[in-house]
Amino acid sequence: MEPAGLSLAVVGTAELCLKYGPRLRDKYRSFRDAEAGFAERLLILENRWLKIEVHVRFLRDVWSALPSHLQVHFNSILSVINTKLVAANELLDQSIEKQDKNDDIGYAWTARGRLRRGPFALTLRDSIDASIQELDQWQQNLLDPGWYQLVLVPGLQVQRAADENSIRSVESDENLEGLRYLLSNKDNVNGPANEIFLPYNAVEPMASGIEFSKASLGIDKESKEVVLLDRVQIPSGTNREQSVSDVYRLVRFFSSIEPELFGFLRCRGALKDADHCDIIFSFPENHDDPTSLRALLVQATSTYPLNARLNIAQMLARSVMFLHDCQFVHKSLRPENIVCFATQGRYPDKPYMIGLDRFRLIDSRSQRLNDDLWYKDIYRHPTRQGVRPEKDYIMQHDIYSLGVCLLEIGIWQSFLQWKDESDSPVAKEEFVSKKTLAIKDPRKRAFEVKKGLIQIAEQRLPGSMGQIYTSTVISCLTCLDPGNTDFGDEEELCNDSGTLVGVRYVEKVSSPSKAP
């Protein structure tokens, strides 16, 4: 669609949202006095709509200031919520058996008489709950992951509009304001070092750790809280001052984020030594007993809920997107470097990315240093394997690693297994064969592993995870293949604003739970 046509379309879509949302709200309001037991549900529904209304009005007001790729993206999001609002109105009309000129629930309640009100109340309760669930899913899975992309858009019009609208009352906008400041001043984020680097004895190490993870646990001596320690090695021969500066910047970025929104634990500081830094992470609120994604995969059972696996996949994709938007690359994304926490159920489904021992700023020079461990190489793109990789590290290499992790989550089995309590894993033959690993030519071996992973995705994912999830995984695994335009070329991904790759993540990866 041409830009002018798209602008007219989105204004029309926004106006429809602002029409059907209040209509749905007013219909339910007419029932508020008819049944006291529905008051809390109706209040929740109104709260959801108020938040959505502010976002819709905001997008409408700043539309002309948005770059074209964000216009296309948010137009799709507005179209989805408009469809949901229309469907919610239709569902309610069916529930009250609407007459030609009367859609008042209170009237329908009175007309049914005492004997028929019980079944009617159950129908309405289901209708309200369905509406709340649909609005929540839209907010969490589509709007929230991409909303902070707006703070990356240059130009005062967007920022001023964000300040003048009621976004602050809707979002955790102290975080967004801080992120905006850090991203716009990414070359000048220095401050007092003692705010970041704590005395090395500030944390008491614990004997217990996290299975299959190199992260350790400790006790913050001041707060007496359990914390997670993620070690960043400073290899000999590298620029130590630059490495320490990168750690400083990372801790600054992640010291005030919302963990569940961005998929990263909140940093509370770092410990600095001669050859390493330990980044200190707080546990999420009301969570304890972390487990690694590797442990979940190794011990996987068929009873693990599909929605929990999908939630892990979505949050993991979101955290990679956020890391890139903060101008970092991870370089070591694999199940050992993902810790999961349980929430209300007994299944851990809240993943947080750690393992930042090889991270660097996107604009820092790649030193092409690596190891030659096959069980790490299967998570690396073929051009990034071996002691001396042939290509500099770019964001698409993280996307490839994400694809391998999503594949394991999709089939819910570990590619690696451990025998005889050995520290070194062995490959499961059905995923990575001994024949493939025995290929002497490193480059040929790497591309054969990649080919095998794509075949596994094509054969095993559609039946269990659906075609959209399957195509998402394959898009990640082929992100650097000629002809793959899902994530763009390197120049697009590394654009100045950093928004394009984030939008592609939201569109292609962070909503893989749609129906097959």
Side-chain angles (χ1 to χ4, degrees), residues 60-75:
R60 183 193 61 183
D61 294 345
V62 303
W63 191 257
S64 61
L66 300 181
S68 59
H69 60 275
L70 279 180
Q71 288 185 345
V72 172
H73 174 66
F74 282 107
N75 179 58

Side-chain angles (χ1 to χ4, degrees), residues 216-235:
S216 59
L217 301 177
I219 302 289
D220 185 311
K221 291 183 178 179
E222 182 175 341
S223 67
K224 308 302 180 184
E225 296 175 339
V226 179
V227 295
L228 185 147
L229 300 172
D230 192 13
R231 178 156 296 186
V232 177
Q233 292 291 155
I234 304 176

Side-chain angles (χ1 to χ4, degrees), residues 132-146:
I132 292 172
Q133 183 179 17
E134 287 292 321
L135 296 180
D136 281 347
Q137 288 179 348
W138 178 81
Q139 179 94 25
Q140 295 168 8
N141 295 337
L142 288 178
L143 185 65
D144 284 351

Side-chain angles (χ1 to χ4, degrees), residues 41 44-49 51-52 81 84-85 128-145 314 318:
R41 278 184 168 84
I44 293 173
L45 183 67
E46 286 202 26
N47 177 262
R48 298 297 191 274
W49 169 245
K51 294 171 70 175
I52 290 173
I81 189 57
K84 289 182 180 293
L85 289 170
I128 296 173
D129 289 345
S131 296
I132 292 172
Q133 183 179 17
E134 287 292 321
L135 296 180
D136 281 347
Q137 288 179 348
W138 178 81
Q139 179 94 25
Q140 295 168 8
N141 295 337
L142 288 178
L143 185 65
D144 284 351
Q314 290 172 338
R318 191 182 302 177

Side-chain angles (χ1 to χ4, degrees), residues 191-198 248 251-252 268-270:
N194 59 5
E195 291 183 0
I196 300 297
F197 293 108
L198 307 178
Y248 180 95
V251 174
R252 284 285 306 274
R268 59 200 299 168

